[in-house]
Amino acid sequence: MAGFTFWRPNFAFPFPNASSGLLYYSDDLTHLLFTACLIVEVYLGNLLFDRIESFTADLRRAGCRISREEQVAIRALNQRFRRLFRSPGWSTFSLPRVVIRLFAIVAGVSVFLFFFSKVQQPCGVSAKCWWGQSGSGVAGTYYSLAIGGLVYLATEALAAILVGMSMINFILRDGYAKPNLFAQDLANGMSPVGDLVLTSFFISLVGAVAIFIVLRLGYFGVEDLIVIWGLIIAATLYIPLATLIPMYSAVRLISECKRALLQSINTMFHSGVSDVTHSYDMAQIREIQPALGFYKHVSELNVFPFEKYKALVSVITLTFVVAQTIYNFIKLFQ
């Protein structure tokens, strides 16, 4: 116990002590809940990066048609975007990369200075002291460095996501991948696009929960800064908006493929009828019955890169995120 008594003032060792007036780490509910959300966010973020990296291979496995020439074009496009997506070293000059990293440094240093200023503030007589206060040791300084570095890495990650989504949008927009309306994934061979969108929605959902925790429970006055509210709202919607662009390209590609197939069926249907007066007899009706059934089946095919249950989950998740964002936006001006 003597050892614990010695180390506790320096590192704010988490033994509750109501008489000390010190907020120990184990009692910092806002921090612990936010950290739990952050762990989930990091996992989902890594999952999103993995899906961006393996996007072309996932398309082929889902049943999407990609020719050898299109594969070469996709590989060249991938290499062109990889310079930003992989964030090469500082020695290789690239203006976009320099701008991204400078912005990330400014964001990280600003957050570090904000929390470090809280570390250096002396404990008031009546106020409850923080576990990271300078009088409690170096824990607050380490925490300030950690959260500053986290903001730096998060800023670079958001930029990398935008670059990756732009690459995927080019693949779909330029028609390097052809939808397969009868693919087994029930999403026209475009289920990897739907998985990207669904993952991004879950990231925003967890982010919205983390924002609710910070803004409702409060943390060092962050909840009173208008700039923080604006940045939080923008960050919540950033990833879903970035993924909606390639989803739009996928929907347009599927719609064009579906329209072309329906037009081909329609042409075959009319070419099989020689009578321009369209007065069909029973023999002609029986002859075109399979074509009519196939036409009806194609016309009812889904044009979104989702299975039906994934589409439902995506709509519910996005609705919650939008509702939470609107609520935060209203509270911002109250």
Side-chain angles (χ1 to χ4, degrees):
M1 289 303 295
F4 287 148
T5 305
F6 174 77
W7 284 107
R8 183 174 173 175
N10 293 290
F11 293 97
F13 200 83
F15 286 114
N17 187 351
S19 62
S20 68
L22 175 63
L23 176 63
Y24 291 108
Y25 188 88
S26 60
D27 299 327
D28 194 349
L29 182 62
T30 303
H31 178 77
L32 294 176
L33 292 177
F34 186 83
T35 302
C37 292
L38 185 63
I39 292 172
V40 179
E41 287 271 43
V42 170
Y43 170 77
L44 293 174
N46 285 329
L47 181 61
L48 184 64
F49 276 113
D50 289 340
R51 286 178 169 171
I52 292 175
E53 184 70 15
S54 62
F55 179 73
T56 305
D58 291 341
L59 280 179
R60 287 198 302 268
R61 281 194 292 268
C64 202
R65 299 190 300 271
I66 303 176
S67 66
R68 185 180 299 274
E69 293 78 11
E70 291 165 342
Q71 181 65 38
V72 173
I74 291 175
R75 190 177 296 113
L77 186 66
N78 196 345
Q79 291 174 353
R80 199 174 86 197
F81 278 89
R82 186 177 291 272
R83 297 184 183 92
L84 283 176
F85 183 76
R86 282 296 189 183
S87 297
W90 287 90
S91 59
T92 306
F93 178 80
S94 172
L95 182 59
R97 191 185 317 129
V98 170
V99 172
I100 291 171
R101 284 187 166 168
L102 285 177
F103 182 76
I105 289 173
V106 171
V109 171
S110 300
V111 171
F112 165 76
L113 292 177
F114 175 81
F115 281 97
F116 189 70
S117 66
K118 299 295 181 182
V119 171
Q120 299 303 315
Q121 289 179 356
C123 292
V125 177
S126 59
K128 194 173 186 179
C129 297
W130 174 41
W131 56 267
Q133 218 83 36
S134 57
S136 301
V138 296
T141 302
Y142 287 151
Y143 174 72
S144 301
L145 286 171
I147 198 166
L150 178 65
V151 170
Y152 169 82
L153 294 175
T155 304
E156 279 213 344
L158 291 175
I161 289 174
L162 181 60
V163 172
M165 293 301 173
S166 300
M167 179 190 70
I168 291 174
N169 184 57
F170 273 103
I171 293 174
L172 300 174
R173 189 195 67 181
D174 295 342
Y176 293 135
K178 301 294 189 299
N180 181 359
L181 299 181
F182 308 104
Q184 294 183 355
D185 66 347
L186 303 178
N188 308 290
M190 292 285 178
S191 58
V193 180
D195 292 339
L196 281 174
V197 175
L198 187 58
T199 304
S200 72
F201 286 176
F202 277 127
I203 290 175
S204 289
L205 175 63
V206 178
V209 173
I211 291 167
F212 178 83
I213 291 171
V214 173
L215 298 183
R216 296 284 80 83
L217 298 181
Y219 208 60
F220 304 121
V222 169
E223 66 279 5
D224 298 326
L225 300 177
I226 296 179
V227 175
I228 296 297
W229 278 72
L231 291 175
I232 282 173
I233 292 172
T236 304
L237 298 178
Y238 174 87
I239 296 180
L241 290 177
T243 55
L244 287 178
I245 297 174
M247 190 186 78
Y248 170 77
S249 297
V251 170
R252 183 180 58 82
L253 201 61
I254 295 170
S255 299
E256 291 177 354
C257 183
K258 180 178 176 179
R259 190 181 305 112
L261 182 56
L262 289 174
Q263 185 62 39
S264 299
I265 298 173
N266 194 49
T267 302
M268 292 170 51
F269 173 74
H270 285 289
S271 64
V273 178
S274 57
D275 188 357
V276 296
T277 63
H278 302 287
S279 56
Y280 310 133
D281 56 22
M282 292 303 297
Q284 287 178 315
I285 293 176
R286 281 194 296 269
E287 185 178 342
I288 64 175
Q289 192 70 32
L292 289 174
F294 185 62
Y295 186 93
K296 183 176 183 296
H297 174 74
V298 173
S299 64
E300 294 175 350
L301 286 175
N302 175 33
V303 295
F304 293 98
F306 295 104
E307 297 179 49
K308 290 183 179 180
Y309 79 93
K310 287 186 178 180
L312 179 61
V313 172
S314 299
V315 170
I316 295 174
T317 305
L318 183 60
T319 301
F320 179 85
V321 172
V322 171
Q324 176 67 22
T325 303
I326 293 175
Y327 175 76
N328 289 335
F329 189 77
I330 293 174
K331 294 289 291 183
L332 176 63
F333 294 98
Q334 288 184 351

